[in-house]
Amino acid sequence: MYQKTIILLAVLLTSLRSCSSSYPFDPRYDPSMSPDLYLETDHLHGHITRNNHIKNRHGYAPTSSPRAFNVKAFGAKANGNDDSQAFKKAWKAACSSTGTVYVVVPKSRAYTLKSVKFSGPCKSSLIVFKIYGKIEAWKDPSAYKERRLWIVFEAVNNLRVEGGGRIDGNGNKWWPNSCKINPNLPCLGAPTAVTFVECKNLMVSNIRLENAQQMHMTFQDCENVKALNLMVTSPGDSPNTDGIHVTGTRNILIQNSIIRTGDDCISIVSGSENVRATGITCGPGHGISIGSLGANNSEAYVSNVVVNKATLIGTTNGVRIKTWQGGHGIAKNIIFQDIIMKNVTNPIIINQDYCDRVESCPQQKSAVQVSNVLYKNIQGTSSRPVAVKFECSESIPCRGISMQNVKLVDQTQQDVVSTASCSNVKLDTKGHVSPLCT
C-alpha cells in the first residue's frame, strides 16, 4: 500500500512540475517584461530580501507611450479623495486598446479607492497593471455597496499585476466590528482586498498587500495562475485575514512569498486542483490549510496539491486539512514536503470534525474523504506535546496517509520527542518518523 501511494504521489509531483514550468501560458507573453523592482529569494524556504534592480530592458512603462494609461492622466489626484472613477477610466481605455497595454499607478503617491471592478473581456492581448505607488481603501465601511469586495479583476485574460507597490485595505476600520472580535455583533463579513474572478493566464508579482479588511487576495474560478514574490501582512490578531485564498482554481503556482496574517497564510478550498505552493514563509497565522471543506453538508473536491520548501513560524497550525461533518466529496493526492516548523502549535493535522461555530456542531456520519496524503522531510518544534493529530471520521476514515522522514520535537521540553494523537487512520511510514501513532 505504501509503495503504491508513493508511486502515485511521485507521478503527481512530476506532473505539477511540468505544469508549472509551462507558465505563463500565452505565446504573446514577453518574458523580458519582468518588474523593475523585484524581490529576490535566497532559495532557503522562501526567505526574501529586497533588491532594487533594473531587471528589464523596458524599464518603467513610459507615460508618453500610447500603450500606457496613467491613472493621473485620467484625473486621479492622490489627495485622500476617492480616485475610483479615474482608475475605472484608465482601465476602460486600456481594455479597449489592442496589443500590450499598461495601466500605471505612479510611484511616491497614495491613491484612495472605494469598491472598484476592472472587468473583461478586453481587446488587448496583454494588460500589465503596474502599481508603483500605493493604493489604499476608503475608510468608511458604509460606503461599500458590495460589502465583501474591494478591488476586483473579473473575466480578464492575459493579465499581469506587478510593480513593487503597496495595497492597503485599512482593515483596522473593519476588524473591531467582526463577530470574531466581539461575539455580540452579527457576522456580516468584510471585503476581500483583491479578488480575481474567472481570469485566465494571470500573473501577480512583486506586490505588498497589507491590512486587508478580511482576506487579502482571492483567486476564484481562475485558470493558469502565478502568484510570485508577494509580501502579505496584517496583525496576528486580525480576524479572518487569510493571506491567499484559492477556490475553484486550476493550475496555480504560489512561490517565494512571505505571509504574516491573522488567519490561514494559504487556504485551498473546493474546486481547486493542480495547486503548488513553494518557498513560503508563514507566520504569524493559522498555517497552510486545505479547507475547510464540506460546510453545510456541501460537496467538495480538492486534488493534486503540493506544498514544499515552506517555513512556518509561531503559527497555530502547520500543514492542515480540515473538513466539516456532513459534507461529501474528496480531498486527494496531496504532498507536504521539505517543511520547517518553528514553535508551531499543531504542526501536522487532519481534522474531519472541524467546527468553526460558537455553538457545537451536530454529529453526522457523512464526511469528505481524505486520501493519498504524503508528509515528507518535515522537521522542527511543536509548542505543545502533541505535534501530530489525525482526527479522521469513523464512518469515512482517512486512507493512504504516509509519513517519511519526519521529526518533530516538543519545544516545551527541549529535545523531547513530541507525541501523536491518531484516530480512524491507517498510517504507512518510511525512514525515521517521530512522533508515531500508537
Side-chain angles (χ1 to χ4, degrees), residues 90 145 212 232 257 322 374:
K145 295 180 180 180
V232 183
S257 296
K322 51 182 178 176
L374 172 64

Side-chain angles (χ1 to χ4, degrees), residues 20 23-25 29 34-35 37-41 48 55 160-164 196 202-209 217 219 225-232 244 252-259 276-280:
S20 63
Y23 295 172
F25 334 105
Y29 177 84
S34 50
L37 181 64
Y38 70 102
L39 300 175
E40 208 169 60
T41 306
I48 294 176
K55 199 183 176 187
R160 287 164 49 203
V161 180
E162 60 187 36
F196 297 93
L202 166 66
M203 180 185 288
V204 185
S205 63
N206 305 295
I207 295 294
R208 180 176 184 129
L209 294 98
M217 180 174 289
F219 298 100
V225 177
K226 271 188 171 182
L228 311 176
N229 301 336
L230 302 178
M231 173 75 79
V232 183
I244 298 175
I252 176 170
L253 171 66
I254 305 167
Q255 182 173 335
N256 295 346
S257 296
I258 295 175
I259 307 174
R276 179 169 181 146
T278 182
I280 305 299

Side-chain angles (χ1 to χ4, degrees), residues 44 56 59 75 82 101 136 163 174 185 188 206 211 234 238 243 249 263 278 302 312 314 321 345 351 371 385 424 435:
L44 179 60
N56 64 76
D82 178 25
V101 296
E136 59 182 342
W174 294 81
L185 295 175
L188 299 177
N206 305 295
N211 303 318
S234 61
S238 55
T249 291
D263 210 300
T278 182
V302 172
L312 296 103
I321 301 173
T345 304
N351 182 4
S371 67
N424 304 310

Side-chain angles (χ1 to χ4, degrees), residues 24-182:
F25 334 105
D26 191 287
R28 295 165 295 189
Y29 177 84
D30 181 357
S32 67
M33 295 285 289
S34 50
D36 308 281
L37 181 64
Y38 70 102
L39 300 175
E40 208 169 60
T41 306
D42 67 4
H43 303 294
L44 179 60
H45 298 325
H47 298 298
I48 294 176
T49 55
R50 181 173 288 274
N51 292 273
N52 294 313
H53 290 273
I54 300 299
K55 199 183 176 187
N56 64 76
R57 58 187 171 84
H58 297 271
Y60 284 82
T63 55
S64 60
S65 167
R67 299 185 303 166
F69 301 90
N70 193 315
V71 297
K72 183 179 178 181
F74 289 83
K77 303 297 184 183
N79 60 3
N81 293 322
D82 178 25
D83 284 320
S84 301
Q85 293 304 315
F87 273 65
K88 290 179 181 178
K89 290 175 182 177
W91 174 265
K92 184 177 180 180
C95 185
S96 59
S97 300
T98 58
T100 298
V101 296
Y102 302 84
V103 176
V104 179
V105 180
K107 64 179 181 178
S108 303
R109 299 177 72 86
Y111 296 90
T112 303
L113 302 183
K114 294 181 180 180
S115 297
V116 60
K117 183 178 290 186
F118 304 114
S119 298
C122 295
K123 292 182 179 179
S124 50
S125 57
L126 173 67
I127 295 185
V128 184
F129 202 105
K130 284 277 193 179
I131 304 173
Y132 296 118
K134 180 180 179 182
I135 298 174
E136 59 182 342
W138 191 261
K139 295 180 180 180
D140 182 5
S142 66
Y144 287 72
K145 295 180 180 180
E146 295 186 59
R147 186 177 177 88
R148 302 305 298 269
L149 301 170
W150 177 34
I151 298 172
V152 179
F153 293 88
E154 182 177 38
V156 185
N157 296 340
N158 304 316
L159 170 67
R160 287 164 49 203
V161 180
E162 60 187 36
R166 296 162 60 195
I167 299 174
D168 188 339
N170 280 321
N172 60 324
K173 301 297 181 182
W174 294 81
W175 302 330
N177 297 317
S178 167
C179 62
K180 291 290 183 71
I181 300 298
N182 185 349

Side-chain angles (χ1 to χ4, degrees), residues 298-321:
S298 63
E299 187 173 22
Y301 292 92
V302 172
S303 65
N304 301 349
V305 177
V306 174
V307 176
N308 72 333
K309 295 182 180 178
T311 299
L312 296 103
I313 306 169
T315 53
T316 56
N317 302 287
V319 289
R320 174 171 61 160
I321 301 173

